[in-house]
Amino acid sequence: MEDQQSTKIIQDQNLEVHENLEVVENLEEFPEPKVGMWFDSDVDALEYYHNYGKRYGFGAKIKSSKATDGVKTWVSIGCYKARKFKSTASNPLKPPPTQRVDCKAGINISLKGEKWKLNSMNMEHNHEMDFNAARYLKHNRTIPPHTQYRHELNRETGININKSVSSCQREAGGAQNFTWLEKDAENHLDEIRCHQLKGGDAQTMLQYFIKQQKENHNFFWAIDVDEENRLTKVFWADARSREACKYFGDVVTFDTTYLVNRFDMPFAPFVGINHHGQSILLGCGLVTREDTDSFVWLFQSWLSCMSDRPPNAIITDQCRAMQNAISQVFPNTRHRWCLWHIMKKLPEKFKGKEYDPMKCRLKSAVYDSLSPEDFEENWANLINKYNLQDNDWLSGLYNEKRRWVPAFVKDTFWAGMSTTQRSESMKSFFDNYVKVKTTLHEFIVQYEHALRKKVEKEEEADAHSMNSVIPMVSPYGFEKQFHQALTNEKFSQFREQHAALTGCDLVMVKVVHGVSHYFIDQDVKVVDKDGKEFRKTMKFIVQFNEESKETTCNCQLFESKGMVCTHMIVVWTKKKLTEVPKTYILERWRKDVMRTHTKMRVSYIVSKQKPEWVRYDSLLKIFNEAADKVIFSKAKTNRLTTILKGVVEESDGWDDKCHDNTCMSSIHVQNVAAVNDQSKVSKRGAMTKRKRFVFEQKSKNKAASNKTVQCSDCHANNIQDVVLDVGSMIVTQESANFGESHRPNEDGGMCFYELPKMATESSEAEDDGKLVGVSKNLVVDDDLREMSKSAAWSVSSWKPGNGVQSLWDDNIETYWQSDGAQPHLVNIQFQKKVKLQLIVLYVDFKLDESYTPSKISICAGDGFHNLKEIKTVELVKPTGWVHISLSGNDPRETFVNTFLLQIAVLSNHLNGKDTHVRQLKVYGPPPNPIPHQPLQFTSTECIMYSMVR
């Protein structure tokens, strides 16, 4: 018989010994051991005694065993307290605790034929047994697989183990219902961690880098070791960071004040600003020493990673080693010191009664000086008033004033950054994921999880900017111009400048050589040394060219931050402009720019899970959906519970072999000429026209009967005889029954007939370069091979349930649906350069109407940075397979040689927004055959030239 936990207690009817054994229906009625019990295996016997022990409060283990000719024939299973205790402690007065008390209880089994028989037993224990304490015994503590998965997932997302365990306890109704302890969960995670670090911390990290680069050739990494091969420097950047650097790598901050692991290696991130004003990581490194050589290596690695494009500006602290390295690697880059680091040193540099007024004057000289001349004057007054001529710290700062004083650096674009706090905020963001004992490999993994949240925030801001609108506050056309172009965050900053108009007063206008000079007084709020607020008037000059509308202000806010200032808006309002030059709306702040880094496929966006966890998530999704529908009805809940219990009990008898209801592979039908791409087989009733398999045979023979059918996974022959009526282009009832017997596999697909590919020309009509009616049967040339399965696919956007997998699932009933602004992109990336000759896609205007593409652009290149358009195709209400040749105008250009192929849907029929593409396939020419070599050479000289034509 078989209990709820798959423990088998059987009565063998074929052996010489026959005992009548009571059949037990559940674990609560689990029988006591009896001489003559039969088991399928010794493992089943151990499982039985283990479950029996859990009921009565003791654990079970194998005490000893015997084997004959290498085959186990006798096993003794006993209580976990068996055998005598022998202390090995160095101090006999302090022996360690033990569970062994020489308990003799147990059972003995022996092999009889193919079964195991219980020959003898001892039921007497020499110790007390407690059912409530049985769950604390090591032998009784097991963590279910789905709970292991939850702990692993929680650790990856930064959730502490105690919180993860508390969540499981609450779900189980209390710790008393647990079959494991918190320590067991910790041990499980330690096992996973030790397995990951097998071979050494640095070596594991190196293997991780190699694996990442294999999955995506745009992943960049570099390491450096010392004379003893010890890791000293590391740099890496994923494909998304490298692509983002093209848009936001003009200004970066760099800082190394954060220690990330047990080796105290400083974390050195390169951080930029994206179009929403958010921090974005552009690569990062780990170094053991903060010296010039280390920073030179790190900067050179970053430069190589970013295609030798140095930043225009970089912000660091006052580290002399960094300054030396920057002058060597980035000689033309404007280097700025972090202003915040300088100002926070004031309390330790100046103490005494005059500290507060001196601090107030110093800040005024630094922040309120509009020009270098103003700063020189204010600085001199400060030094003279407080007799600071001999202060070496201030003297050093003054000598380097061009590296930190706003009046000297605001002529350079800094994207709104003046400090390295961007780097430090990025580091504090990692605090939720990185602990004191974090290893190098663990840090990089946690770094991925942290970046995933950054990506989610950027995508959320993108969606917010596209779908929500911030109201305008003025009737002027130039505000609408900014409103339509800027992201919401940047338009909010524009609104702040616009709102400050009330504090500005236009006092005078002077015209010099066609350029108007506007003198503007602005009333600003200032806080004095005592924390009291008072108003202060500051004077600004705006120059406006009447002809070109070019506008500049001496505050240089636009030059340094890329945002127009209040004073420029005052002039535009005075002139009642409806439009300003586009140069005042920087492309890096625009929301209507298609930035390729958001479409990059990287490891921390694409989920990578164990196959069993993927299957678990798939089942859990179905269970949750079912539970949501029935939990409000007691009757429905009871019914679903009964059904699920029945499925669980039935599943104990399932095996991993391929059966009629579980086969997951393709079926091979021999001696049949050709078949189109497969569709799912209807389970019941007659197959619809869409779901029928369509076969074509080039010979005059119109039928193929009684063919051998074989499952490619389990290799079972003659699963079902198939009769194909080629003349009527349908599948007979036998094959329909075959489809019925092979039900959906775990991926939602069916077991299909997989036939040799032979086809004829498609009925494709062209009218002035526009593709119209096409065939519903996929037909391609014999000498073409499909390249789709050897590529990595990604799309610019998708609706839940209609993702990229719908493009190549061989099912025209499913479709990829975009979600966002046009163009809608499909990216097909190959690990090596390949030759492509034909693109075939399935679209259906009759079903999809306004979702059907009307204009498609094909681009190819080595990467996203150098894509070139090779063809544009217009579709006119297509229904079926559309063939797009990649051949050029030159007859010799029969294919495209590329790493990356991008299909862009530029517009849809009826001006539709989102698009539907039901299938997409890419074909290339066959590989060059290996030349036949009739002669077998043995000498090196002949072998060298044997392949020369």
Side-chain angles (χ1 to χ4, degrees):
M1 69 58 85
E2 184 174 272
D3 75 344
Q4 291 179 344
Q5 297 195 16
S6 303
T7 301
K8 300 178 181 178
I9 306 174
I10 66 170
Q11 180 179 0
D12 186 9
Q13 302 296 335
N14 300 320
L15 301 180
E16 295 181 358
V17 182
H18 301 279
E19 282 87 4
N20 295 323
L21 191 62
E22 179 183 1
V23 178
V24 183
E25 298 296 335
N26 57 63
L27 187 62
E28 296 300 327
E29 301 174 3
F30 213 85
E32 293 187 355
K34 295 180 181 179
V35 174
M37 279 185 173
W38 291 86
F39 303 91
D40 274 345
S41 66
D42 57 332
V43 176
D44 290 336
L46 177 63
E47 183 71 13
Y48 156 72
Y49 199 63
H50 172 76
N51 288 328
Y52 172 75
K54 287 175 65 176
R55 176 183 174 187
Y56 290 98
F58 68 91
K61 67 178 182 180
I62 294 179
K63 294 194 296 183
S64 61
S65 63
K66 296 179 181 179
T68 302
D69 296 331
V71 178
K72 192 183 296 183
T73 58
W74 181 87
V75 175
S76 177
I77 303 174
C79 174
Y80 76 110
K81 288 180 176 287
R83 301 187 184 280
K84 294 182 179 179
F85 170 67
K86 296 180 180 180
S87 177
T88 58
S90 58
N91 188 350
L93 299 178
K94 295 182 179 180
T98 181
Q99 293 179 338
R100 296 182 179 183
V101 293
D102 197 21
C103 180
K104 303 296 184 180
I107 61 175
N108 299 318
I109 60 175
S110 61
L111 183 64
K112 302 290 185 180
E114 296 181 354
K115 306 291 182 179
W116 289 78
K117 179 185 176 182
L118 196 158
N119 295 323
S120 61
M121 62 183 185
N122 185 345
M123 302 295 293
E124 298 297 329
H125 294 265
N126 63 355
H127 55 88
E128 295 183 358
M129 293 181 291
D130 184 359
F131 171 77
N132 294 324
R135 73 184 187 91
Y136 294 104
L137 300 179
K138 180 179 180 180
H139 301 82
N140 294 337
R141 302 200 308 263
T142 56
I143 305 178
H146 68 275
T147 306
Q148 296 178 12
Y149 171 48
R150 174 184 291 188
H151 291 322
E152 293 176 28
L153 197 63
N154 288 343
R155 184 188 66 167
E156 290 179 356
T157 53
I159 299 177
N160 293 332
I161 184 63
N162 58 339
K163 293 182 180 179
S164 182
V165 172
S166 298
S167 173
C168 293
Q169 289 178 345
R170 183 168 183 177
E171 182 178 333
Q176 69 276 6
N177 298 323
F178 261 27
T179 60
W180 50 275
L181 305 177
E182 181 175 333
K183 182 179 180 180
D184 299 320
E186 293 176 352
N187 292 339
H188 170 72
L189 295 181
D190 285 341
E191 281 184 27
I192 298 295
R193 176 174 169 271
C194 291
H195 178 72
Q196 291 173 343
L197 296 178
K198 187 177 181 180
D201 198 8
Q203 186 64 30
T204 304
M205 184 183 65
L206 178 61
Q207 294 172 356
Y208 170 85
F209 285 156
I210 295 174
K211 179 175 178 292
Q212 291 297 315
Q213 193 171 52
K214 182 178 179 181
E215 293 179 357
N216 191 325
H217 67 275
N218 284 324
F219 184 90
F220 182 96
W221 61 277
I223 63 172
D224 190 28
V225 295
D226 59 14
E227 296 80 5
E228 299 179 3
N229 285 332
R230 292 179 300 187
L231 188 68
T232 58
K233 295 178 280 292
V234 185
F235 174 81
W236 74 97
D238 57 75
R240 194 178 195 275
S241 297
R242 297 183 69 183
E243 196 68 19
C245 194
K246 298 176 183 178
Y247 303 96
F248 311 116
D250 51 349
V251 183
V252 298
T253 67
F254 180 80
D255 189 55
T256 59
T257 58
Y258 187 70
L259 305 181
V260 300
N261 55 46
R262 61 182 180 180
F263 303 112
D264 290 340
M265 295 182 73
F267 175 42
F270 294 84
V271 180
I273 296 294
N274 69 5
H275 49 303
H276 300 291
Q278 301 169 336
S279 299
I280 184 169
L281 200 63
L282 303 176
C284 62
L286 298 170
V287 293
T288 54
R289 299 181 61 184
E290 298 183 66
D291 54 15
T292 299
D293 291 340
S294 296
F295 291 131
V296 167
W297 181 92
L298 204 57
F299 293 155
Q300 287 176 342
S301 299
W302 188 86
L303 193 61
S304 299
C305 174
M306 302 308 172
S307 303
D308 293 326
R309 290 191 301 268
N312 297 330
I314 186 171
I315 303 175
T316 71
D317 58 21
Q318 295 168 265
C319 175
R320 182 64 63 180
M322 287 186 195
Q323 183 175 333
N324 296 336
I326 290 173
S327 63
Q328 293 181 38
V329 184
F330 306 137
N332 300 321
T333 297
R334 186 72 184 273
H335 181 200
R336 179 176 184 176
W337 286 348
C338 172
L339 187 57
W340 178 80
H341 274 103
I342 294 175
M343 301 305 289
K344 80 169 186 176
K345 294 179 180 178
L346 292 179
E348 65 179 81
K349 298 296 182 179
F350 302 100
K351 297 178 181 179
K353 298 180 180 179
E354 296 184 337
Y355 168 72
D356 288 335
M358 188 206 64
K359 173 186 174 182
C360 188
R361 274 186 172 270
L362 178 60
K363 286 188 173 182
S364 177
V366 172
Y367 293 111
D368 297 341
S369 298
L370 292 178
S371 65
E373 294 76 16
D374 292 341
F375 173 79
E376 295 287 358
E377 181 180 351
N378 294 332
W379 185 270
N381 294 335
L382 169 70
I383 298 298
N384 294 329
K385 180 174 179 62
Y386 297 101
N387 297 319
L388 300 173
Q389 291 83 357
D390 297 330
N391 190 290
D392 295 335
W393 184 71
L394 285 180
S395 299
L397 287 179
Y398 179 77
N399 294 334
E400 298 286 354
K401 57 189 174 184
R402 298 187 180 277
R403 295 188 184 275
W404 65 278
V405 178
F408 288 92
V409 299
K410 65 181 181 179
D411 58 337
T412 301
F413 178 67
W414 298 99
M417 295 187 291
S418 61
T419 71
T420 59
Q421 285 182 313
R422 290 285 179 176
S423 299
E424 289 162 3
S425 65
M426 181 68 74
K427 294 167 187 174
S428 63
F429 180 78
F430 280 102
D431 273 336
N432 296 326
Y433 299 89
V434 179
K435 310 303 177 185
V436 176
K437 296 183 179 180
T438 298
T439 64
L440 294 178
H441 174 263
E442 286 177 326
F443 168 73
I444 297 175
V445 174
Q446 295 303 331
Y447 150 91
E448 284 194 349
H449 296 305
L451 284 195
R452 186 182 296 118
K453 291 203 68 174
K454 282 290 185 183
V455 172
E456 290 173 359
K457 289 184 178 181
E458 182 176 341
E459 291 177 347
E460 181 183 355
D462 283 337
H464 186 63
S465 293
M466 296 302 297
N467 299 321
S468 61
V469 177
I470 299 178
M472 296 186 296
V473 296
S474 75
Y476 297 107
F478 67 83
E479 183 181 0
K480 183 178 181 181
Q481 189 179 356
F482 283 88
H483 180 264
Q484 293 177 341
L486 297 179
T487 61
N488 283 1
E489 176 64 27
K490 289 302 170 180
F491 184 71
S492 297
Q493 295 179 12
F494 173 83
R495 284 276 304 272
E496 292 176 2
Q497 296 297 324
H498 195 284
L501 290 177
T502 55
C504 295
D505 184 21
L506 183 58
V507 295
M508 186 177 63
V509 180
K510 182 190 298 183
V511 179
V512 180
H513 302 300
V515 177
S516 300
H517 293 67
Y518 291 82
F519 295 83
I520 300 172
D521 289 349
Q522 183 177 14
D523 189 27
V524 296
K525 183 169 60 176
V526 181
V527 179
D528 63 11
K529 62 182 181 64
D530 297 324
K532 297 181 180 179
E533 296 182 356
F534 65 95
R535 311 301 297 186
K536 178 180 178 181
T537 300
M538 300 189 66
K539 299 183 180 296
F540 300 91
I541 303 175
V542 178
Q543 299 182 21
F544 180 77
N545 189 305
E546 300 288 344
E547 182 177 347
S548 65
K549 306 297 187 295
E550 181 182 352
T551 312
T552 59
C553 178
N554 64 338
C555 74
Q556 293 185 300
L557 182 69
F558 177 74
E559 288 79 3
S560 62
K561 295 186 177 182
M563 181 58 62
V564 295
C565 62
T566 303
H567 323 112
M568 297 169 67
I569 298 177
V570 169
V571 175
W572 292 342
T573 303
K574 179 69 175 178
K575 305 298 293 186
K576 298 182 179 179
L577 296 183
T578 58
E579 185 177 358
V580 298
K582 294 181 179 180
T583 54
Y584 296 108
I585 304 178
L586 297 187
E587 184 175 341
R588 68 175 290 135
W589 306 138
R590 296 181 70 95
K591 63 182 178 183
D592 54 357
V593 174
M594 178 63 69
R595 297 176 175 89
T596 54
H597 78 280
T598 61
K599 314 303 178 188
M600 294 298 294
R601 178 180 178 272
V602 288
S603 59
Y604 53 84
I605 297 179
V606 180
S607 177
K608 297 183 298 182
Q609 297 179 351
K610 299 177 181 178
E612 55 267 32
W613 297 147
V614 174
R615 293 192 286 269
Y616 173 79
D617 284 340
S618 177
L619 289 173
L620 191 62
K621 182 179 179 181
I622 299 174
F623 295 157
N624 290 339
E625 184 177 350
D628 290 340
K629 291 184 177 181
V630 304
I631 56 176
F632 298 104
S633 169
K634 184 177 180 180
K636 291 182 178 179
T637 301
N638 292 338
R639 183 176 179 182
L640 179 61
T641 302
T642 302
I643 293 173
L644 291 178
K645 285 183 176 179
V647 172
V648 171
E649 292 176 0
E650 182 185 351
S651 67
D652 291 336
W654 298 349
D655 55 36
D656 294 331
K657 295 182 179 179
C658 186
H659 298 285
D660 349 8
N661 60 337
T662 58
C663 185
M664 298 159 44
S665 316
S666 301
I667 307 300
H668 300 287
V669 182
Q670 302 173 0
N671 300 327
V672 180
V675 64
N676 70 323
D677 284 356
Q678 301 96 336
S679 302
K680 289 185 179 179
V681 179
S682 177
K683 285 188 179 182
R684 296 182 176 85
M687 291 185 292
T688 63
K689 185 177 181 181
R690 276 186 175 276
K691 294 182 180 180
R692 290 172 179 167
F693 291 107
V694 182
F695 299 91
E696 183 177 2
Q697 188 170 357
K698 285 190 173 182
S699 65
K700 294 182 179 180
N701 183 15
K702 291 188 176 181
S705 59
N706 298 327
K707 303 305 177 184
T708 301
V709 183
Q710 183 186 57
C711 177
S712 63
D713 222 11
C714 65
H715 307 292
N717 291 313
N718 299 321
I719 298 177
Q720 180 70 41
D721 287 339
V722 181
V723 180
L724 305 175
D725 185 352
V726 181
S728 60
M729 303 296 284
I730 64 172
V731 182
T732 61
Q733 185 61 41
E734 286 81 3
S735 62
N737 291 338
F738 178 80
E740 169 68 16
S741 68
H742 281 64
R743 293 175 182 153
N745 58 33
E746 63 185 29
D747 296 324
M750 304 289 291
C751 294
F752 302 123
Y753 307 109
E754 185 176 303
L755 303 172
K757 294 184 178 178
M758 296 179 65
T760 59
E761 281 297 323
S762 169
S763 57
E764 178 183 305
E766 295 189 10
D767 181 17
D768 297 332
K770 299 181 180 180
L771 301 181
V772 285
V774 289
S775 173
K776 287 191 176 182
N777 305 328
L778 175 60
V779 184
V780 295
D781 291 337
D782 294 348
D783 58 349
L784 294 181
R785 58 169 179 159
E786 187 178 352
M787 308 290 290
S788 310
K789 302 297 175 62
S790 61
W793 292 59
S794 62
V795 291
S796 56
S797 62
W798 67 93
K799 290 281 190 182
N802 300 100
V804 64
Q805 68 276 3
S806 299
L807 290 172
W808 37 260
D809 61 358
D810 293 330
N811 182 13
I812 59 175
E813 297 295 314
T814 62
Y815 51 82
W816 162 58
Q817 179 174 342
S818 61
D819 184 16
Q822 293 173 348
H824 307 304
L825 307 178
V826 178
N827 303 309
I828 307 175
Q829 292 178 280
F830 298 89
Q831 290 188 350
K832 61 181 180 180
K833 186 168 285 190
V834 296
K835 297 176 181 179
L836 303 177
Q837 190 167 335
L838 178 68
I839 296 176
V840 185
L841 65 154
Y842 192 99
V843 287
D844 196 330
F845 178 76
K846 293 181 180 178
L847 290 178
D848 300 328
E849 296 182 343
S850 63
Y851 289 93
T852 308
S854 63
K855 190 174 183 180
I856 295 177
S857 171
I858 312 295
C859 297
D862 294 334
F864 290 97
H865 61 284
N866 65 349
L867 283 174
K868 294 182 180 180
E869 187 175 66
I870 58 176
K871 182 159 290 191
T872 301
V873 178
E874 294 188 15
L875 309 180
V876 180
K877 298 183 179 180
T879 300
W881 292 99
V882 177
H883 293 58
I884 304 175
S885 174
L886 300 181
S887 302
N889 296 327
D890 191 330
R892 295 170 295 180
E893 297 177 358
T894 59
F895 56 82
V896 174
N897 205 12
T898 184
F899 278 105
L900 172 64
L901 188 71
Q902 185 178 85
I903 296 95
V905 179
L906 304 180
S907 61
N908 290 334
H909 285 75
L910 307 178
N911 294 322
K913 177 184 176 183
D914 290 331
T915 193
H916 283 182
V917 177
R918 294 180 174 269
Q919 287 293 291
L920 180 60
K921 296 181 180 294
V922 183
Y923 292 90
N928 294 327
I930 299 176
H932 176 63
Q933 177 55 265
L935 300 178
Q936 299 297 327
F937 296 107
T938 57
S939 64
T940 305
E941 292 78 6
C942 291
I943 293 175
M944 288 175 58
Y945 300 102
S946 62
M947 301 300 291
V948 177
R949 293 185 296 178

